[in-house]
Amino acid sequence: ENRTHARIEARMAAQERERTEEAKATQLRQRREKLKVLYDQEYSNWIAEMQTTVETTEQRRERLRKQAMALRDRREAERKAFADAKRQQQWRDACDEARTLDS
C-alpha cells in the first residue's frame, strides 16, 4: 500500500510538472506570436515609409536647383561685400582728410 501511494503521488507530481511545462510552452508560443505580429507591422510600416520617402528625379532636380541658387546668392553677397570694402578703402586712400584721420 505504501508503494502504491508513493506511485500515485509520483504520477500526480509528474502530471503537475507536465501541466506547468505545457502552460509555459503555451505562454511562450503566444508571446512569440505577438512579437511576430508586431515585427510584421513595423516592417510593413517601414517599407511603406521608405517607398514614400524615395526621392523622385523631379524632386532631386528641384532640391539641387535650390542648393545651386542658395550657393549663387551667397557667393554674390560675398562678392558685393568685398567690392564695397575695396571701394571704401579706395575712397579713404584717395581722400586726404580720411588718410590723415587714419594715421
Side-chain angles (χ1 to χ4, degrees), residues 68-81:
M69 295 290 280
L71 181 61
R72 186 195 69 192
D73 292 345
R74 183 181 58 103
R75 284 183 181 163
E76 181 65 19
E78 289 174 359
R79 187 194 64 76
K80 281 184 180 181

Side-chain angles (χ1 to χ4, degrees), residues 4-98:
T4 304
H5 184 65
R7 284 183 182 168
I8 292 173
E9 285 184 358
R11 189 174 64 238
M12 289 175 62
Q15 288 174 347
E16 183 63 30
R17 277 193 307 271
E18 286 178 16
R19 279 195 298 268
T20 303
E21 288 177 13
E22 192 175 310
K24 286 181 182 179
T26 302
Q27 288 176 345
L28 182 61
R29 278 193 302 275
Q30 289 172 348
R31 286 180 22 215
R32 283 181 178 167
E33 184 61 31
K34 284 182 184 179
L35 284 174
K36 182 186 178 305
V37 168
L38 280 174
Y39 174 78
D40 290 343
Q41 286 175 345
E42 285 187 16
Y43 185 73
S44 296
N45 291 342
W46 180 77
I47 291 294
E49 183 179 340
M50 289 299 109
Q51 289 175 347
T52 59
T53 57
V54 171
E55 192 175 43
T56 65
T57 306
E58 196 60 37
Q59 290 169 334
R60 183 172 185 270
R61 188 176 296 134
E62 181 64 21
R63 180 179 54 84
L64 291 175
R65 188 186 67 75
K66 285 180 182 178
Q67 285 179 349
M69 295 290 280
L71 181 61
R72 186 195 69 192
D73 292 345
R74 183 181 58 103
R75 284 183 181 163
E76 181 65 19
E78 289 174 359
R79 187 194 64 76
K80 281 184 180 181
F82 180 75
D84 288 344
K86 288 301 176 180
R87 267 194 226 105
Q88 182 68 23
Q89 182 183 4
Q90 186 180 25
W91 178 81
R92 283 187 163 279
D93 289 344
C95 181
D96 290 333
E97 293 175 10

